[in-house]
Amino acid sequence: MKLNVNLPDAPYDIMIEKGSLSKVGQWVKTLWKPQKIAIITDNRVGGFYAEKVKLSLEDAGYEVVVFDFLEGEARKNLTTVNKAYEFLVKQGMTRSDGIIALGGGVVGDLAGFVASTYMRGVHFLQIPTSLTAQVDSSIGGKTGVNTPFAKNMVGTFTQPDGVLIDPDTLKTLGKRELIEGMGEVIKYGLIADVPLWEKLEALDGSADSILENSEMIIYHSCDVKRKIVIEDELDNGVRLYLNFGHTIGHAIEQTAGYGKVMHGEAVAIGMVQVSRVAEKKGLMSEGVTDKIEAMCSKFGLPTDYEPWDIESMYQALRHDKKARGQMIKMVIVPQLGQAAINEISLEEMKEYLEK
């Protein structure tokens, strides 16, 4: 299956095919001339797939080097970025060479940031291996790393030259890592894809059901995201819809300590919390919150978090990228399949943190 992200200045395709990881070299040859390629990955994903991808690329005529770092959101920072820069310099990487991100969302965000800033930018490709990355972070050109102040505070908009998704890589994820990706999938159904929501309702919520229906789940999710990205590449309008649940979710991730609550888990909690308050305010249809909570629970996602420290989360929200002066753009779902932006003051935001 193929989807096209038809941006005017940087169009590219999303390829979704089981078993495609063994054909990486052939795929890259359709996109890049012979050059040196740096695979950026983490130690866990690299252990599974780096050698396989490296050999495929070498068979296709590329010179390949591999940079890996310790897995986890806590490593997605400027310290790791500097280590990557040092590696690339020592390997003699030039502006004519390329970077491939091989891994989950952390790897994709960091590798994309490195590619977009090393020598003012080299081209890069995304090969996402986690569900979260396959349905969300590998598409749309957002790169970024965390700082002590906020998640993804430093980053760029830089589109990849292509995205290759092999759903078979999901089989090497732990159960929690697989399930957390459903936070983003559920979000897509809520903001723009009622047929996807209905398909999710028909599943039993088990890890096996996710794997068995992975191509459908990934295709629907990518299709929603690519349409929104095409309409609003730089995140000034409808692309903000993709942040449903993320405003509070990011604050949870930061205050809990990166990695203690996974991204998709935090998004699930954020969607339920925002909806509960918005519904009480009459901004969302009655009963939508219950549907969101039931869907998240069915797939094993958390819908609450302790300790719930309102003041710490509020301070984190003040540094959120969606904040503009003393206002913040909060995404809500007035009804199933429809998103809207509710601009509120940072002071009012405190109400959305109250249980």
Side-chain angles (χ1 to χ4, degrees):
M1 292 185 283
K2 182 167 77 171
L3 290 165
N4 180 249
V5 185
N6 192 25
L7 293 166
D9 297 324
Y12 59 94
D13 290 331
I14 305 165
M15 307 296 296
I16 307 167
E17 182 185 346
K18 288 186 175 182
S20 56
L21 207 62
S22 62
K23 308 170 189 174
V24 168
Q26 299 170 38
W27 173 64
V28 175
K29 279 184 77 171
T30 67
L31 300 169
W32 288 354
K33 297 176 181 178
Q35 61 193 264
K36 184 178 286 187
I37 295 174
I39 297 171
I40 295 183
T41 187
D42 66 35
N43 61 308
R44 186 176 186 279
V45 175
F48 284 118
Y49 302 119
E51 190 63 20
K52 182 177 185 177
V53 172
K54 182 174 183 287
L55 288 173
S56 180
L57 290 167
E58 288 174 341
D59 286 345
Y62 296 97
E63 183 183 349
V64 186
V65 294
V66 179
F67 172 81
D68 67 5
F69 59 94
L70 289 176
E71 67 172 316
E73 188 77 32
R75 301 302 193 289
K76 196 177 82 172
N77 55 39
L78 291 170
T79 299
T80 308
V81 168
N82 278 322
K83 290 178 181 177
Y85 290 152
E86 182 180 1
F87 175 85
L88 297 175
V89 170
K90 288 181 176 178
Q91 295 296 328
M93 296 285 289
T94 71
R95 290 191 71 185
S96 299
D97 299 321
I99 288 173
I100 292 179
L102 175 66
V106 169
V107 169
D109 284 356
L110 186 137
F113 180 74
V114 170
S116 67
T117 52
Y118 180 72
M119 293 190 170
R120 294 195 177 94
V122 298
H123 44 283
F124 78 108
L125 297 167
Q126 290 271 16
I127 304 179
T129 60
S130 72
L131 185 57
T132 302
Q134 290 177 353
V135 302
D136 185 62
S137 58
S138 66
I139 303 155
K142 279 188 179 181
T143 78
V145 293
N146 305 327
T147 73
F149 308 105
K151 181 179 168 74
N152 293 334
M153 179 171 260
V154 178
T156 65
F157 283 97
T158 307
Q159 300 297 337
D161 293 332
V163 181
L164 181 71
I165 298 174
D166 183 348
D168 282 343
T169 60
L170 301 179
K171 295 175 183 176
T172 52
L173 291 177
K175 184 177 179 181
R176 183 185 177 195
E177 285 72 22
L178 176 67
I179 288 171
E180 73 106 1
M182 291 304 294
E184 294 286 1
V185 175
I186 290 167
K187 176 199 74 178
Y188 286 122
L190 284 166
I191 66 169
D193 194 338
V194 174
L196 171 60
W197 180 269
E198 291 171 345
K199 289 176 185 292
L200 296 178
E201 284 186 319
L203 301 183
D204 64 18
S206 66
D208 285 344
S209 73
I210 298 171
L211 292 173
E212 288 167 7
N213 294 274
S214 58
E215 285 181 297
M216 176 275 291
I217 288 169
I218 293 165
Y219 184 88
H220 270 268
S221 300
C222 289
D223 196 31
V224 172
K225 181 151 190 182
R226 75 167 186 96
K227 289 174 181 175
I228 290 175
V229 168
I230 290 168
E231 187 173 348
D232 178 23
E233 182 180 0
L234 299 181
D235 208 11
N236 293 311
V238 296
R239 188 164 177 172
L240 289 171
Y241 294 167
L242 297 169
N243 290 318
F244 180 51
H246 285 60
T247 301
I248 289 176
H250 283 170
I252 292 169
E253 285 184 85
Q254 184 183 341
T255 56
Y258 292 128
K260 292 183 180 178
V261 179
M262 299 187 74
H263 177 68
E265 295 171 339
V267 168
I269 298 166
M271 289 191 297
V272 171
Q273 177 65 20
V274 166
S275 300
R276 186 180 291 125
V277 177
E279 195 172 318
K280 286 179 182 177
K281 288 175 173 284
L283 300 172
M284 288 175 54
S285 300
E286 187 175 344
V288 172
T289 305
D290 288 342
K291 290 182 179 179
I292 297 171
E293 190 165 10
M295 184 71 84
C296 290
S297 296
K298 182 174 81 168
F299 283 98
L301 289 162
T303 57
D304 202 353
Y305 169 73
E306 294 294 340
W308 189 266
D309 188 335
I310 292 177
E311 187 55 37
S312 294
M313 284 196 281
Y314 178 68
Q315 291 307 316
L317 285 168
R318 292 178 65 85
H319 297 290
D320 191 282
K321 299 184 298 302
K322 294 171 286 301
R324 300 289 188 274
Q326 293 300 306
M327 305 296 288
I328 193 164
K329 293 183 177 181
M330 172 69 69
V331 183
I332 58 174
V333 176
Q335 59 188 33
L336 191 63
Q338 181 184 102
I341 295 170
N342 181 33
E343 189 167 18
I344 60 175
S345 68
L346 284 170
E347 189 63 31
E348 187 182 350
M349 186 66 218
K350 284 184 177 179
E351 297 176 25
Y352 281 85
L353 296 173
E354 292 174 359
K355 293 289 190 180

